[in-house]
Amino acid sequence: MEEASADLPAGHRLVLMAARILLTLRHPVLVARFAMRLGYLPNPAAPTRYNELMLWRKIVDHNPLFVTLTDKLAAKAHIRAACPELPVPETLWSGSNPEDIPAALLAGQVVVKTNHGCEMNLFVSDGQPGRAEIVRKTRRWLTKRFGRRSGEWAYWPIAPVVLVEERLKLSGRTIATDIKVHVCSGDISHVWAEDKLAERSHLFDGDGRPLPGRDPDYPREDQFLPVGPALLDLVRQAIALAPHIAGDLDHARIDFLVTDKGLYAGEICIYSAAGYGTWTNPAIAEQLARLWRLEDSAYLRRRHRGVSRFYAEALRARCAMRGTDNFDG
């Protein structure tokens, strides 16, 4: 069990201990699922490891901005404002009733998706899949509230809509299809480039240098993505752009799509891998935990009243001990 340093005032230690018990009792399913998937009992009140920090975000830090960034439609406007030089896939239509999608759009190359969840995408080409299937699937998606099982709070308030988006020609099998940048308070933790068509990937550090180890999507060593000048250049471009999009968030994963013409905006991920992400290189999670500063979270930046004030003060005091010789996690 990881506790605050013994040098933390006794009152703060007691508050954090009580908060741990209370949050565990309030969210027993999430805590139990965490323990089963990651192999240890988390401290949701005073997190130190990367996955614990994600659990804390889901349970405690309900930043309203998370809803905007998680909404696939609203996130586009955020990206355009934060990084106007980055192309964003064009939204060709959006609405609450998939029956209203113009027939002409579904005859071309488009992506039909909903704005309020993951893995709710249909890649349309030359009229396939057909309109009836598109309407049936998107109607079913509209009734879902994504993220309930994993406690991904920011998905829940989103008003679900269907959108039709231009379908980009990605550089799969030649360079990559996606580049994903983990940003913590403006600092780059690491970068994850993958080719979903070839089922390969590679990890990079915050300066764009290749790292050993594998990611959770393509964990085998034979799923190695070759690193050439074109990929390295795009990775470094993504590293330069991502902090502008993430702003002052304590953590976000900024995704880019890779085309032969260059980078396009992808998604902004607040709960990367639902908080259960792992890497075969343990240094990745350790770096994330070092760079993720809870004091920069929306929760600790705002003023609290009542019992919450004592918890926030104790957690801020604990955060202030990071980097000192007396801090042991």
Side-chain angles (χ1 to χ4, degrees):
M1 180 185 300
E2 294 183 350
E3 301 292 347
S5 167
D7 287 348
L8 195 66
H12 288 335
R13 293 203 308 272
L14 287 172
V15 167
L16 293 177
M17 187 181 304
R20 178 176 188 174
I21 294 169
L22 179 61
L23 290 175
T24 299
L25 292 175
R26 281 187 174 179
H27 304 276
V29 175
L30 280 181
V31 171
R33 185 173 293 124
F34 182 105
M36 287 187 291
R37 293 192 63 164
L38 296 168
Y40 68 95
L41 192 64
N43 184 343
T48 55
R49 306 188 206 184
Y50 164 69
N51 300 105
E52 284 182 320
L53 288 158
M54 274 290 180
L55 179 63
W56 181 88
R57 168 175 279 188
K58 290 192 287 188
I59 291 175
V60 177
D61 191 18
H62 290 182
N63 182 354
L65 180 59
F66 291 168
V67 180
T68 298
L69 302 182
T70 300
D71 183 329
K72 290 179 171 56
L73 202 52
K76 290 187 177 189
H78 174 89
I79 292 169
R80 287 192 181 98
C83 199
E85 67 271 31
L86 179 65
V88 178
E90 183 181 357
T91 301
L92 305 173
W93 179 90
S94 65
S96 58
N97 185 357
E99 288 277 13
D100 294 337
I101 300 174
L105 288 181
L106 301 182
Q109 307 276 335
V110 296
V111 182
V112 181
K113 60 175 69 174
T114 52
N115 66 324
H116 69 301
C118 294
E119 298 180 353
M120 297 181 184
N121 307 301
L122 285 170
F123 296 91
V124 180
S125 180
D126 300 324
Q128 296 299 322
R131 183 181 185 86
E133 182 179 349
I134 291 170
V135 170
R136 177 177 58 81
K137 285 190 174 181
T138 52
R139 274 184 171 167
R140 186 175 74 247
W141 292 340
L142 288 171
T143 64
K144 290 185 176 181
R145 286 296 179 267
F146 187 84
R148 293 284 185 186
R149 177 177 173 82
S150 295
E152 297 166 278
W153 164 84
Y155 286 105
W156 306 345
I158 297 172
V161 298
V162 179
L163 56 145
V164 181
E165 187 177 271
E166 68 170 312
R167 183 171 175 179
L168 301 175
K169 183 175 175 55
L170 302 182
S171 297
R173 304 188 189 279
T174 58
I175 304 175
T177 57
D178 303 77
I179 294 175
K180 305 177 181 184
V181 184
H182 283 257
V183 187
C184 299
S185 300
D187 294 325
I188 308 298
S189 168
H190 72 285
V191 182
W192 168 13
E194 67 178 9
D195 185 337
K196 291 180 178 177
L197 298 181
E199 297 185 345
R200 301 180 298 189
S201 69
H202 206 109
L203 298 172
F204 301 83
D205 69 12
D207 294 316
R209 294 184 293 253
L211 287 172
R214 310 300 310 144
D215 64 71
D217 282 357
Y218 306 114
R220 301 195 317 268
E221 287 304 319
D222 64 346
Q223 293 179 304
F224 173 90
L225 178 65
V227 177
L231 178 60
L232 283 172
D233 183 57
L234 290 168
V235 165
R236 288 163 185 157
Q237 288 181 41
I239 287 171
L241 294 169
H244 297 288
I245 299 171
D248 61 359
L249 288 175
D250 49 328
H251 175 269
R253 196 190 78 203
I254 310 300
D255 294 356
F256 300 87
L257 300 172
V258 180
T259 76
D260 292 342
K261 296 179 180 179
L263 295 176
Y264 275 72
E267 298 178 1
I268 302 172
C269 192
I270 297 301
Y271 309 112
S272 183
Y276 301 120
T278 58
W279 296 267
T280 61
N281 182 351
I284 299 293
E286 292 167 4
Q287 174 76 341
L288 276 166
R290 279 194 297 271
L291 293 178
W292 190 329
R293 297 187 283 274
L294 280 188
E295 59 268 33
D296 292 338
S297 67
Y299 183 84
L300 288 186
R301 282 178 170 175
R302 74 173 187 264
R303 297 183 65 178
H304 295 270
R305 296 180 179 180
V307 174
S308 296
R309 176 171 64 87
F310 296 106
Y311 170 60
E313 288 175 354
L315 190 53
R316 287 192 194 102
R318 189 178 186 280
C319 290
M321 299 188 69
R322 289 181 55 158
T324 70
D325 293 337
N326 294 324
F327 183 77
D328 62 7

